Amino acid sequence: MVVVAWFSAGSLQGLRGFATAVAAGEMTWWSCPAIIVPVLLPFAVHHILAMVAGLFFSRTALSREPIAVTLDPAEITVSVTGFSSRIAWDRIERVIETSRHLFLVLAARQAVVLPRRAVATGRPRAAWHDASFPPPPEDARGAGCSYRGRRLPCARTGRDPDGAEDRRDGLGAPEALSMIQPARYAPMSRTRRIRSSMSDAEALSRIAAAIDAGFDKEVEFLQELVRFPSLRGREAPLQDWFARQMAERGYAVDRFSIADVPEHPKMAPMVDADPAASIQVVAAHRPKNPTGRSLILQGHIDVVPEGPHEMWTYPPYSATIRDGWMYGRGAHDMKSGVACMVFAMDAIRAAGFEPAADVYIETVTEEESTGNGALAALLRGYRAEAALVPEPTGHTITRTQTGTIWFRLRVRGVPVHVAVAQDGTNAIMSAYALINALYAHTKVLNAEAKASPWYADIKDPIKFNPGIIRGGDWASSTPAWCEVDCRIGLIPGMTPEEAMARIESCVKTAAQGDAFMANNPPEIIWTGFQTDPYVLEPGSEAEKVLAAAHASVHGGEMPERRTTAVNDARYYGLYFGFPGLCYGPKGEVAHGFDERTSIEDLRSCTKTIATFITEWCGLRPRA
């Protein structure tokens, strides 16, 4: 009967239309054998027998009386032994759908999983998550994504919607990039899995054993990452090495620059940096006929300057290991997280499995200055149903992050010989006056933050920092110029535009109190971050799965943190409609001397991420 249901699903519409025609008197039941045999017969074999069986079990015996079947446009009735059963056509459709799922269950008895899969609705959501992506014309929507004669990749996964062989670069034609839309799928209400004789516990045990067996290689991999001085604008050598590593593992690798993607309103200005030299790498795992939930694993490989080397106990790019810690710039922030996500996938494969859904392993740049690298990967077309950013959070989930604004103060002065300094002006001291005004402005912001539901109990969540200063040309001349690069935060409830307007107002007011600056106003140049604050709202399915993975490795509930810095997770949740989780290993001294990461926490975080991938994406035997 299950097999018959598979065929009768396609003929249901014809049968219903036939019943409508009979009711209208346009034809008789026996006037068209071509309809009776291929349409009524398979339908009757399955659905009529199903209703008869229901009557049989309800009455304990089946009479030899003939069965009476009545069909009309609204319902079908089966009568036997004086009793009857009625079922509406829409209910029959639901029965057929259930039968088809049962058929899949019986046909896939040897499969490991069939977890929840997003189902194409054929309709765009009521509102696109990002207004900068115009919806495609009506004839380009739906499951068969074609436009102007070209096949477009699936909006969420980059997969050809008709099931053809995947494109290794994850993209359609370049001109189709603007047609790639955010979330075009409605997730099913619950996860459906088919397990083989191997239990979840057995599979996870094998994966954990694979992590332990390959852990020395993971540590060596992290050391290689740390030995690259991947400062801003100098990340390409590391990215090239990483791309080769992923290609050797069999992934489809896409290497591109920020200059290769379309503009976006949330792209921050890249002053003193070349977008064409800022390289991103995406390694794609794309199983045939994916059945799980797709995932992005994303980490940044850019690092901040190391400062004077003589202030370090060990050379900053030596990746020295002492007493269970690895020392080096970027070891903690966040190359340790990159190693975790790579070797979590390695362990799943080594255990004989593969994720049953698309997984994109991304290494990006610009996290420390603009965030444009993570955004570029999204604009390149890589989307999923969740993203995990393994920043070094010490095995906690980041609940909130502040926004950040980068700006440069540019002040002029009147140079004179120091012997007559009173006749000139000192641009450095003028800039110092502006810095003090901005510190006072920050105190006001922190007083306002006490009303925030997220940051009320955190002392001074708004951080202001004058981080770089340049000025003057000669020690015996009053400085004719000064530039100060600054950073200031903002909390949820304030937009970057509002924060920037208040910075401008603060600087203008302070300048009016100085005789020279009142007539020679300082400039404000926006040099990087213009980021929104982000709150990961509790209760998402992805967070629940991650919390369960954490508990399975560490025991107990997954802690949460509220940070006064930024990370790339914001892009996924704020602009592209799927949760961005920030959770990763443990380390110390980010951006400081003797930055280090814990070796054993590297191992446990890798196990947590592997468990999360297993439960979120599902597993299947590796081909």
Side-chain angles (χ1 to χ4, degrees):
M1 288 191 296
V2 173
V3 176
V4 172
W6 184 263
F7 293 100
S8 63
S11 60
L12 175 63
Q13 193 66 30
L15 179 61
R16 189 172 185 177
F18 182 59
T20 303
V22 171
E26 297 174 0
M27 66 172 59
T28 64
W29 287 110
W30 309 108
S31 62
C32 187
I35 293 179
I36 296 301
V37 175
V39 177
L40 182 58
L41 184 58
F43 180 87
V45 170
H46 175 236
H47 298 289
I48 295 177
L49 288 181
M51 287 186 284
V52 170
L55 291 174
F56 170 76
F57 288 113
S58 65
R59 305 304 300 177
T60 72
L62 180 62
S63 168
R64 295 182 179 274
E65 295 292 326
I67 300 172
V69 180
T70 304
L71 293 89
D72 61 50
E75 61 187 15
I76 179 170
T77 303
V78 179
S79 300
V80 61
T81 323
F83 300 97
S84 65
S85 176
R86 295 184 178 183
I87 184 167
W89 289 104
D90 59 350
R91 186 175 177 187
I92 294 172
E93 292 172 345
R94 292 195 296 272
V95 170
I96 290 176
E97 184 63 21
T98 301
S99 300
R100 295 174 71 183
H101 291 321
L102 179 59
F103 177 83
L104 290 173
V105 171
L106 296 177
R109 291 171 60 186
Q110 301 304 316
V112 177
V113 291
L114 274 180
R116 187 182 78 171
R117 178 64 181 163
V119 178
T121 62
R123 301 185 302 273
R125 290 192 176 186
W128 298 97
H129 294 294
D130 186 349
S132 71
F133 289 97
E138 290 295 332
D139 59 2
R141 299 179 182 176
C145 302
S146 61
Y147 181 56
R148 295 180 181 174
R150 297 183 182 271
R151 298 296 296 172
L152 299 186
C154 166
R156 190 182 281 280
T157 65
R159 175 180 296 278
D160 192 331
D162 63 8
E165 187 66 22
D166 295 333
R167 283 177 289 272
R168 292 181 65 84
D169 62 0
L171 299 169
E175 61 267 31
L177 267 175
S178 62
M179 301 303 301
I180 299 176
Q181 304 293 338
R184 286 281 299 274
Y185 289 90
M188 297 172 67
S189 61
R190 62 187 180 89
T191 299
R192 295 181 289 114
R193 293 177 180 267
I194 299 176
R195 289 289 182 191
S196 67
S197 58
M198 177 177 293
S199 67
D200 286 353
E202 290 173 314
L204 291 172
S205 177
R206 280 174 52 173
I207 293 169
I211 291 172
D212 291 334
F215 190 63
D216 288 346
K217 290 184 178 179
E218 181 174 356
V219 173
E220 292 171 2
F221 182 89
L222 177 56
Q223 286 182 300
E224 288 298 314
L225 287 173
V226 173
R227 287 169 182 149
F228 283 95
S230 50
L231 296 160
R232 190 185 193 196
R234 295 165 53 188
E235 307 96 341
L238 187 157
Q239 291 289 58
D240 291 343
W241 175 84
F242 185 83
R244 290 192 296 271
Q245 289 287 315
M246 296 298 102
E248 289 172 3
R249 286 165 163 82
Y251 293 107
V253 176
D254 185 17
R255 180 188 181 279
F256 58 97
S257 76
I258 292 176
D260 293 329
V261 302
E263 291 292 328
H264 188 277
K266 288 300 178 179
M267 278 281 188
M270 292 177 63
V271 176
D272 304 326
D274 180 7
S278 192
I279 303 301
Q280 323 304 312
V281 173
V282 177
H285 163 77
R286 298 192 189 98
K288 291 185 178 180
N289 303 314
T291 55
R293 293 170 288 198
S294 54
L295 178 65
I296 288 172
L297 299 170
Q298 183 250 294
H300 73 87
I301 50 80
D302 54 314
V303 300
V304 302
E306 62 276 9
H309 287 205
E310 61 270 20
M311 298 293 290
W312 288 72
T313 303
Y314 309 104
Y317 297 109
S318 65
T320 300
I321 296 177
R322 289 289 187 276
D323 302 323
W325 295 87
M326 183 186 297
Y327 292 81
R329 174 59 81 231
H332 170 49
D333 182 16
M334 64 162 288
K335 293 177 179 179
S336 56
V338 172
C340 287
M341 68 191 198
V342 169
F343 277 80
M345 287 288 288
D346 281 0
I348 290 171
R349 291 174 156 203
F353 304 106
E354 67 175 10
D358 295 345
V359 178
Y360 299 115
I361 303 170
E362 303 179 357
T363 50
V364 303
T365 63
E366 286 293 303
E367 192 274 347
E368 299 284 8
S369 48
T370 63
N372 289 350
L375 181 56
L378 285 158
L379 297 176
R380 185 75 166 177
Y382 296 105
R383 314 291 170 79
E385 289 160 280
L388 176 63
V389 180
E391 288 274 7
T393 66
H395 314 289
T396 67
I397 184 75
T398 302
R399 179 63 59 205
T400 65
Q401 59 175 281
T402 57
T404 296
I405 305 295
W406 269 18
F407 60 99
R408 177 175 297 166
L409 299 173
R410 179 174 289 169
V411 183
R412 301 299 182 188
V414 178
V416 296
H417 193 285
V418 68
V420 289
Q422 68 276 7
D423 296 333
T425 63
N426 188 312
I428 292 177
M429 296 308 296
S430 295
Y432 186 67
L434 298 182
I435 290 172
N436 283 334
L438 286 163
Y439 270 118
H441 171 62
T442 304
K443 289 183 178 179
V444 174
L445 294 176
N446 279 315
E448 295 173 357
K450 293 179 179 178
S452 167
W454 296 108
Y455 286 95
D457 57 347
I458 295 179
K459 179 176 174 59
D460 297 336
I462 303 300
K463 312 295 183 182
F464 168 67
N465 184 55
I468 304 174
I469 186 167
R470 298 172 293 269
D473 301 298
W474 196 252
S476 293
S477 301
T478 57
W481 65 278
C482 183
E483 293 181 346
V484 185
D485 287 7
C486 303
R487 179 266 191 206
I488 197 168
L490 58 149
I491 61 172
M494 181 179 289
T495 67
E497 292 74 20
E498 292 169 339
M500 293 160 70
R502 295 184 69 171
I503 291 168
E504 291 174 331
S505 176
C506 172
V507 171
K508 181 178 180 181
T509 301
Q512 289 173 346
D514 179 271
F516 178 79
M517 287 193 293
N519 294 307
N520 299 272
E523 294 180 66
I524 298 177
I525 303 167
W526 309 109
T527 57
F529 284 124
Q530 296 179 7
T531 68
D532 292 280
Y534 174 51
V535 176
L536 175 67
E537 296 294 343
S540 72
E541 182 67 16
E543 183 180 337
K544 292 176 183 177
V545 174
L546 180 59
H550 171 91
S552 71
V553 174
H554 297 275
E557 295 184 0
M558 178 174 63
E560 68 176 44
R561 69 169 191 153
R562 287 165 289 166
T563 180
T564 55
V566 299
N567 63 70
D568 285 335
R570 65 188 179 276
Y571 288 109
Y572 307 104
L574 287 176
Y575 316 124
F576 290 90
F578 57 96
L581 310 175
C582 183
Y583 173 102
K586 175 183 176 182
E588 296 177 349
V589 204
H591 294 207
F593 298 130
D594 291 342
E595 176 182 352
R596 65 183 189 172
T597 189
S598 166
I599 299 297
E600 277 308 307
D601 285 274
L602 185 75
R603 185 198 305 265
S604 60
C605 185
T606 304
K607 291 180 178 180
T608 300
I609 293 176
T611 303
F612 174 68
I613 297 169
T614 296
E615 296 301 327
W616 180 256
C617 301
L619 297 180
R620 61 174 54 165
R622 188 179 181 192

